[in-house]
């Protein structure tokens, strides 16, 4: 058995030698990474700044308050809770705060790109609350707003509407959906786990002004440590804080809260907007490249993207999503298999892949690089060995980043 240190070295090598296009991952900065390895991991701090259940929290309080202040500033939110251990925890806390067990919730269907914490039967959300789901239209793959309205009409007892997705490549019309939810007497929650960086940079409509609660993961496009965060109106602040602690969690991971503060410092700095603009431009370039390389092999769902991901139906390759994921992975190109809406295959196989631009953009890639990556992927799918070219491209990107 290799030692943990050896495994860390191997993982670092893996990350250095592969092109990672997993839409939900990112590379954190050295600053964020450093925060995760600090003595704050030794500290218990149940409670909130100024109201703790443990002594010795004077520096913890300052760290957490700094993160809260930055989160409020960045997202223009009335209240922020930076303690959720993950996006899923943030969602469970939001439900605990806003609704009661057995209450009805309308959310985006898992099979069409939603998340398991939006009412999957095997998740706590699906066990404790009654979920009904809207999806996308078959013809264009966009959110079926007619179905959304119909379900609200048919279910006048819906207490909460949840929007947000794991694999939806288009902009979500938060204001419009919130207005409809309110007309039907429901509260409105947006889960921006994937697009939090885009919202923070002003490159996606913000749900904050129209939502009761907004939840997110902090390790995706916003480029922070693994964790979650909740924003809400002042009206819900007390309930949200009590739902996170003591409702769902014990002590916060103070070292992670410190890393979230570092992430937020980076996200309020001007360079972050430039990064996110490039993330979107690169995703669009990838969508175009898939179509140009071979539109029959790679059917780009919805015809393109508005955000950081491209959803591709790979049926035309003669392989399923799992096979493509494996084939690419063997050549150090990482994507993930993904359900496509109305997928005839099981979720262990799938007909699609999800391809994202956040990581390669962190390395400094621009549009022309994305076309090269798609060509490499296509060669790999055709059975060519491209691992040397992948490594060469990674070395080029890394040295360009060092030089820049
Ligand atoms: C829409 C959505 N919500 C919540 C989550 C949960 O995130 P976490 O892995 O931080 O629990 C994800 C993760 O992919 C997601 O896509």
């Amino acid at each position: 058995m290799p030692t943990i240190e050896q495994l860390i070295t191997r993982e670092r090598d893996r990350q250095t030698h592969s092109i990672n296009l997993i839409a939900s991952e990112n590379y954190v900065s050295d600053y964020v990474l450093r925060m995760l390895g600090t003595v704050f991991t030794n500290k218990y701090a149940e409670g909130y700044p100024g109201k703790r259940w443990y002594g010795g929290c004077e520096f913890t309080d300052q760290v957490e308050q700094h993160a809260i202040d930055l989160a409020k500033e960045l997202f223009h939110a009335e209240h922020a809770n930076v303690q959720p251990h993950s996006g899923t925890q943030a969602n469970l806390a939001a439900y605990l705060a806003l609704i009661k067990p057995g209450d009805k919730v309308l959310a985006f269907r898992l099979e069409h790109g939603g998340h398991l914490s939006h009412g999957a039967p095997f998740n706590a959300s699906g066990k404790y609350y009654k979920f009904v789901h809207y999806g996308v239209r078959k013809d264009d793959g966009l959110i079926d707003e007619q179905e959304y309205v119909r379900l609200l009409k048919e279910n006048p007892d819906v207490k909460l509407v949840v929007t947000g997705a794991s694999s939806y490549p288009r902009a979500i019309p938060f204001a419009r959906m919130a207005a409809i939810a309110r007309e039907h007497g429901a509260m409105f929650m947006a889960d921006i786990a994937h697009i939090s960086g885009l919202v923070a940079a002003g490159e996606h409509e913000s749900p904050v002004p129209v939502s009761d609660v907004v939840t997110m993961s902090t390790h995706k496009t916003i480029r922070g440590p693994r964790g979650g965060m909740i924003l809400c109106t002042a009206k819900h602040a007390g309930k949200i804080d009590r739902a996170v602690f003591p409702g769902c969690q014990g002590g916060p991971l103070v070292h992670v809260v410190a890393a979230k503060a570092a992430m937020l410092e980076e996200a309020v700095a001007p360079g972050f907007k430039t990064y996110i603009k490039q993330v979107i431009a690169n995703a669009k370039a990838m969508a175009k490249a898939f179509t140009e390389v071979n539109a029959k092999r790679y059917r780009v769902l919805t015809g393109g993207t508005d955000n950081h991901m491209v959803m591709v139906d790979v049926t035309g390759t003669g392989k399923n999503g799992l096979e493509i994921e494996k084939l690419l992975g063997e050549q150090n190109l990482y994507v993930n298999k993904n359900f496509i809406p109305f997928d005839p295959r099981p979720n262990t196989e799938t007909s699609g892949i999800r391809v994202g631009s956040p990581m390669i953009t962190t390395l400094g890639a621009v549009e022309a690089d994305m076309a090269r990556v798609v060509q490499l992927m296509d060669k790999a799918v055709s059975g060519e060995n491209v691992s040397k070219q992948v490594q060469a491209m990674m070395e080029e990107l890394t040295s360009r980043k060092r030089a820049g």
Side-chain angles (χ1 to χ4, degrees), residues 276-296:
I276 290 292
K277 275 181 180 290
Q278 193 64 54
V279 163
I280 298 170
N282 283 352
K284 284 184 191 295
M286 259 197 305
K288 186 160 169 270
F290 274 118
T291 308
E292 283 171 1
V293 161
N294 193 329
K296 286 210 179 77

Side-chain angles (χ1 to χ4, degrees), residues 86-89 91 115 117-118 164-166 191 193-194 217 219-220 227:
S86 75
T88 300
Q89 290 287 103
N91 285 342
H115 189 254
S117 61
H118 299 182
S166 292
D191 173 352
H194 261 269
S217 304
H219 44 269
K220 301 183 194 209

Side-chain angles (χ1 to χ4, degrees), residues 105 331 361:
V105 185
Q331 305 226 28
T361 308

Side-chain angles (χ1 to χ4, degrees), residues 11-12 23 25 36 48 53 76 79 94 100 112 121 203 226 251 255 257 261 306:
E11 175 59 13
R12 189 177 295 122
E25 295 184 4
L36 293 169
Y48 291 98
W53 293 86
H76 309 288
H79 181 74
K100 295 199 172 54
H112 287 195
E203 296 299 318
R226 307 203 74 78
H255 58 308
V257 171
D306 296 324

